[in-house]
Each structure stands twice: as structure tokens, then as C-alpha cells.
């Protein structure tokens, strides 16, 4: 961009921003607030960086209710589009319905009931944001939420280092608003991709969004999380892939075949040389003890292979003969989740739920590729799915209540399922 163009963009930044969002400012505020709430970036600053007591846990649950109300409010405003989205995502709805149905066989029905409500509201938030906004505006909403997290993390790390920097396990590593450095790295790697996509979809504010991208990339590096760095490279590489694929049909086909080859190679690496992948992610052969947890889950699932133990309750039942006790005995330590989307879904919903989740995941990927080739998908969809897919191997992010990453997955899965995006009518996608 020329110096004159940069000055014009900076001069017109606020007038154009106000004009672009004049009719949608309330939806913008509620959308950003909803995503920020699901990020849980407020949790440690408000309730402390240590373990919370049960009383504090009750306050935390109550904290979400105003944001649930925001999701319901937006749903009422765009109810027609919401019905269309519901009709077009049957697999995702079946997965949510299976979580609710697991109340019937759950080892803690009341716990499953409470968490299903929270899951439903989290997914409703994803649905309404996907329906309410066009790609260009949606990406600004998502990126704006991450900008708030980024600014807060810089403030805490620079001016309140006792809180913003890790003190024990990894002294000096930046953790920002979260309890662990890996959380900061994970969210900032996704935020950087969202901000970069916002820059490409909103050329009138590209300088601002590229600046925010740089700030989030720096935070990812300062977190010293190797997995987050790999996710960042994967996400940014995905944006470059989409940009080049849109240059023409021949190049798009060639790049698609290249992407398929890379995915097959990655699958072969996972199957036949997992130690090399662990080294890339900065993990040992046990993935920092995760394989011991998975071995314990495999053993307890022999008793309930088809339907599992109920949604979201295994890790809170600490009775002597509960599945958690057996997993702890095998793993040698007390785990708080499965550290894998796939094992987590299998544990709660059995083989039936695992197959359903695999179909949802595959459907999102196929629709994302299709939309990319047709030029109607955003720059965020495939990179987000790539980051999510990699992270899903070692983190429990699928069907997570009050979780930003699950909400973003729902947004992408719904958005690529909707008809041809309206961005082509109102916005020009330019790089």
C-alpha cells in the first residue's frame, strides 16, 4: 500500500467503521461479548489464577446467563435464517441430541442435564453468529473479540507480570489472561488467523487488521507453546493456500491435490511414525502422559462400548468405583479431561457418538473445500478447521460447553452449510 493510501485509510478509519456498522452495532457488541465470554479470558482476572472453590464455581456458572440471553436475543432477531441453518445441519443436531439423550444412561443424570443446557447455549451462539453476519462482518466480530483478549494479555504481562507471566512450571512464559501459557498460545494462534482473514475480507481496514495480526503472532511466540506455533503456521499457510487457489481453476485443482497429499502424508505419519509428530509438537512419546489416560479410557470403555457413560460427567464423579477411579489407576495420576476430542466423545457417548462426531468433522471439511473452490467461503473456514483438527488430537475441544473453540467450530460448520454466501452481493473479496 502506498503512503497516500495508508494515510487515507487511517483518516477514514473511524468514519467508515461507524458507517459500515451503523445498522448492526448492537449485534456487533453482543457477538463480541458472546465470543469473549466463551473464551473464559475473564475467569482468572476476576476469580484468581489458582484453583477455584465450589462456591466460586457457582458464581462462574451464573456469569454466563446474561450471555445466554444475548444468544437468545439474536436468535429471535434472525429466526428465519436460524431455521434454515438448523435444517441444513442435521448431523450436528443429531450429535447435540445424542448428548441430551445420554441423560437416560448417564452415571450422573443431573450433571449431564446441566451441561447439556450449557452446550445447547454454546451451540446456539455459534448458530446465530453464523446466520446473523456475512463472512466479512462475521470475521470482524470474531477478530474483535480476540483483539480484546490480546490487549488484556499485553496489559497483564507488561504491567502485572506476577499475574500475566507464569511463575511455577514455566517461569517467565507469557500466559496473559489465562492460567496456562498454552491457553494464550492456542487462542492467539486462532486470533491471528481470524484477524488476517478479516484484513483480506475488509480491505478498507486492512492495515488495522494486519497490525492486530502481528500483535497476536507475537503473543503466540511469547507463550513459548510449540503446539500453538505449529497451529499458527498451519493456519497462515491455509490462508495462503486459499488465496492462491482463488487465482484460477487450474491452480486451485493443483493446490487441492497438493493439500490432499499433505493430509494423507500427515495421516501416515500419525499411524506409522507418531514419535516424529510428537517431536514436532514438543511432546514426548507419551504426549506428556496423555497416552496413559487414553489407555485407561480404552479399558473402562470395554464395559460400555456403544453409548458410553453419559455426556460430560465422567471427570466429576470421584466415587471409588466410578470410571474416573479406574482411569486414574491406569494412568497413575488424576486427569480432568481426556486430552483428545476423539477419546472424550467416545468416553461420553460411546461408539455411536464417535461415529456421529467423525461424520460431522468430515462434513465440515468437505463443505469447506467445496466453498473454497467455488469462491463463496471465507478465508477463515479451512484454516480454522486445520487448527481444530490438529488440536483435536491432544485436546478435548469437541462438544465443550462454554468453550470458544467449540463455538468457532460450530460457526464454521454452519456457515459452510448455508446457501451461497451473501458476501458476493455486498462485499468484494480482495487481497
Amino acid at each position: 500500500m502506498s503512503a497516500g493510501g495508508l494515510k487515507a485509510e487511517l483518516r477514514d478509519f473511524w468514519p467508515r467503521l461507524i458507517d459500515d456498522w451503523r445498522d448492526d452495532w448492537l449485534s456487533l457488541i453482543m457477538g463480541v461479548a458472546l465470543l469473549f465470554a466463551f473464551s473464559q479470558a475473564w475467569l482468572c482476572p476476576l476469580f484468581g489464577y489458582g484453583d477455584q472453590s465450589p462456591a466460586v464455581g457457582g458464581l462462574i456458572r451464573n456469569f454466563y446467563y446474561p450471555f445466554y440471553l444475548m444468544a437468545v436475543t439474536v436468535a429471535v432477531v434472525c429466526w428465519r435464517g436460524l431455521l434454515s441453518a438448523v435444517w441444513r445441519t442435521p448431523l450436528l443436531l443429531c450429535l447435540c441430541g445424542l448428548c441430551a439423550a445420554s441423560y437416560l444412561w448417564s452415571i450422573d443424570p443431573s450433571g449431564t442435564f446441566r451441561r447439556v443446557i450449557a452446550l445447547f447455549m454454546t451451540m446456539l451462539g455459534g448458530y446465530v453468529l453464523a446466520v446473523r453476519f456475512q463472512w466479512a462482518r462475521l470475521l470482524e466480530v470474531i477478530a474483535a473479540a480476540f483483539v480484546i483478549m490480546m490487549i488484556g494479555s499485553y496489559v497483564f504481562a507488561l504491567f502485572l507480570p506476577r499475574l500475566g507471566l507464569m511463575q511455577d512450571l514455566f517461569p517467565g512464559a507469557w500466559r496473559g489472561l489465562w492460567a496456562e501459557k498454552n491457553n494464550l498460545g492456542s487462542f492467539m494462534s486462532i486470533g491471528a488467523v481470524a484477524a488476517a482473514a478479516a484484513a483480506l475480507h475488509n480491505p478498507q481496514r486492512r492495515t488495522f487488521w494486519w497490525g492486530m495480526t502481528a500483535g497476536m503472532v507475537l503473543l503466540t511466540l511469547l507463550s513459548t507453546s510449540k503446539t500453538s506455533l505449529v497451529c499458527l503456521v498451519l493456519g497462515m499457510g491455509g490462508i495462503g493456500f486459499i488465496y492462491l487457489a482463488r487465482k484460477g481453476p487450474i491452480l486451485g485443482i493443483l493446490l487441492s491435490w497438493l493439500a490432499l497429499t499433505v493430509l494423507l502424508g500427515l495421516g501416515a505419519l500419525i499411524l506409522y511414525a507418531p514419535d516424529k509428530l510428537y517431536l514436532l509438537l514438543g511432546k514426548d512419546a507419551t504426549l506428556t502422559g496423555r497416552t496413559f489416560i487414553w489407555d485407561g479410557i480404552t479399558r473402562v470403555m470395554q464395559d460400555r462400548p456403544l453409548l458410553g457413560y453419559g455426556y460430560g460427567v465422567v471427570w466429576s464423579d470421584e466415587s471409588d468405583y466410578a470410571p474416573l477411579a479406574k482411569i486414574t489407576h491406569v494412568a497413575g495420576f488424576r486427569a480432568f479431561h481426556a486430552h483428545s476430542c476423539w477419546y472424550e466423545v467416545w468416553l461420553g457417548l460411546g461408539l455411536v457418538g464417535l461415529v456421529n462426531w467423525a461424520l460431522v468433522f468430515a462434513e465440515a471439511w468437505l463443505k469447506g473445500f467445496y466453498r473454497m473452490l467455488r469462491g463463496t467461503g471465507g478465508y477463515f473456514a479451512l484454516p480454522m478447521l486445520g487448527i481444530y483438527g490438529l488440536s483435536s488430537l491432544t485436546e478435548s475441544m469437541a462438544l465443550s460447553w462454554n468453550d470458544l473453540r467449540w463455538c468457532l467450530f460450530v460457526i464454521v460448520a454452519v456457515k459452510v452449510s448455508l446457501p451461497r454466501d451473501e458476501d458476493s452481493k455486498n462485499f468484494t473479496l480482495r487481497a
Side-chain angles (χ1 to χ4, degrees), residues 162-321:
R162 185 178 61 85
L163 301 177
L165 304 182
M166 293 200 69
Q167 305 297 319
D168 299 323
L169 293 178
F170 303 95
W174 285 40
R175 63 182 178 184
L177 300 176
W178 293 273
E180 299 288 341
K181 69 181 184 70
N182 291 337
N183 293 49
L184 174 64
S186 176
F187 282 110
M188 288 301 103
S189 63
I190 298 173
V193 173
L200 292 171
H201 277 272
N202 298 274
Q204 70 275 24
R205 285 182 285 278
R206 72 175 72 187
T207 302
F208 172 78
W209 287 121
W210 282 123
M212 297 301 100
T213 302
M216 294 181 203
V217 169
L218 179 58
L219 272 182
T220 305
L221 297 175
L222 291 171
S223 74
T224 69
S225 171
K226 291 184 179 181
T227 302
S228 300
L229 181 59
V230 173
C231 289
L232 177 65
V233 172
L234 179 64
M236 289 300 186
I239 289 179
F241 168 79
I242 296 170
Y243 177 79
L244 292 175
R246 289 184 173 184
K247 289 295 184 180
I250 296 178
L251 184 58
I253 293 173
L254 291 176
L255 288 174
S256 297
W257 277 108
L258 177 61
L260 180 60
T261 302
V262 171
L263 289 175
L264 291 175
L266 180 61
L269 184 66
I270 294 172
L271 288 175
Y272 300 111
D275 55 312
K276 303 298 182 183
L277 180 62
Y278 302 158
L279 182 63
L280 178 65
L281 297 177
K283 308 291 185 182
D284 57 30
T286 69
L287 284 175
T288 321
R290 287 173 172 84
T291 55
F292 300 140
I293 301 173
W294 300 342
D295 185 30
I297 292 174
T298 300
R299 296 192 187 188
V300 300
M301 286 306 295
Q302 294 175 1
D303 296 330
R304 294 196 182 188
L306 288 180
L307 296 176
Y309 291 88
Y311 171 70
V313 293
V314 168
W315 306 105
S316 59
D317 186 349
E318 300 189 12
S319 57
D320 292 338
Y321 299 99

Side-chain angles (χ1 to χ4, degrees), residues 2 127 157 178 223 296 335 345 366 424:
S2 65
Y127 268 87
W178 293 273
S223 74
V345 173
L366 291 174
S424 58

Side-chain angles (χ1 to χ4, degrees), residues 342-361:
W342 306 89
Y343 278 94
E344 193 75 64
V345 173
W346 185 34
L347 183 62
L349 304 177
L351 185 60
V352 174
L354 186 61
V355 171
N356 195 165
W357 160 240
L359 291 174
V360 168
F361 190 72

